[in-house]
Amino acid sequence: QVQLVESGGGSVQAGDSLGLSCAASGSGFRINTMGWYRQAPGKQRELVATITRGSSTNYADSVKGRFTISRDNAKNTVYLQMGSLKPEDTAVYYCSAAGLVESVIDYRTYWGQGTQVTVSS
């Protein structure tokens, strides 16, 4: 069983910074890509940023230059440092981990429970 536990989030003012972290646990799961997605009220879930095991990154245009994703492979943990936050960044942020489940030789994606980020103007 793979579990993703997120921490961080909260309420901040526009222009502030905030950090999120997500730790994956469970045996027999070789993680390749980890990432962050977000979902605002009434909108679909959207990509924020992803990072591969080799540290290749991908960002949504809306967060480029403001957010930084990083990971610690030894700890199976992914981080999201968010800067210059805007009210439109308000959303529930979800962590994801995609990789090989060795017991079934199948590639799967797991999700965290989500953490609220609220940015007020």
Side-chain angles (χ1 to χ4, degrees):
Q1 185 74 14
V2 176
Q3 288 189 323
L4 302 181
V5 178
E6 300 155 347
S7 60
S11 297
V12 297
Q13 298 288 320
D16 285 351
S17 298
L18 197 62
L20 305 178
S21 63
C22 172
S25 62
S27 59
F29 181 52
R30 180 170 173 80
I31 301 173
N32 181 10
T33 300
M34 301 188 79
W36 292 94
Y37 292 73
R38 66 187 181 187
Q39 187 167 16
K43 295 187 177 181
Q44 290 188 333
R45 189 174 298 189
E46 65 177 7
L47 166 75
V48 176
T50 59
I51 183 167
T52 68
R53 191 170 188 85
S55 296
S56 294
T57 58
N58 180 46
Y59 293 93
D61 288 343
S62 59
V63 307
K64 282 181 181 177
R66 299 188 299 122
F67 291 11
T68 301
I69 190 170
S70 61
R71 67 187 282 177
D72 183 334
N73 289 332
K75 297 180 178 179
N76 285 335
T77 299
V78 63
Y79 307 94
L80 185 69
Q81 184 61 38
M82 304 181 288
S84 301
L85 283 161
K86 305 175 181 180
E88 50 264 43
D89 294 318
T90 296
V92 177
Y93 283 69
Y94 296 91
C95 167
S96 72
L100 179 67
V101 179
E102 296 172 343
S103 62
V104 295
I105 313 177
D106 190 22
Y107 200 86
R108 295 182 179 174
T109 299
Y110 293 90
W111 295 89
Q113 78 282 1
T115 185
Q116 178 71 45
V117 172
T118 302
V119 184
S120 57
S121 58

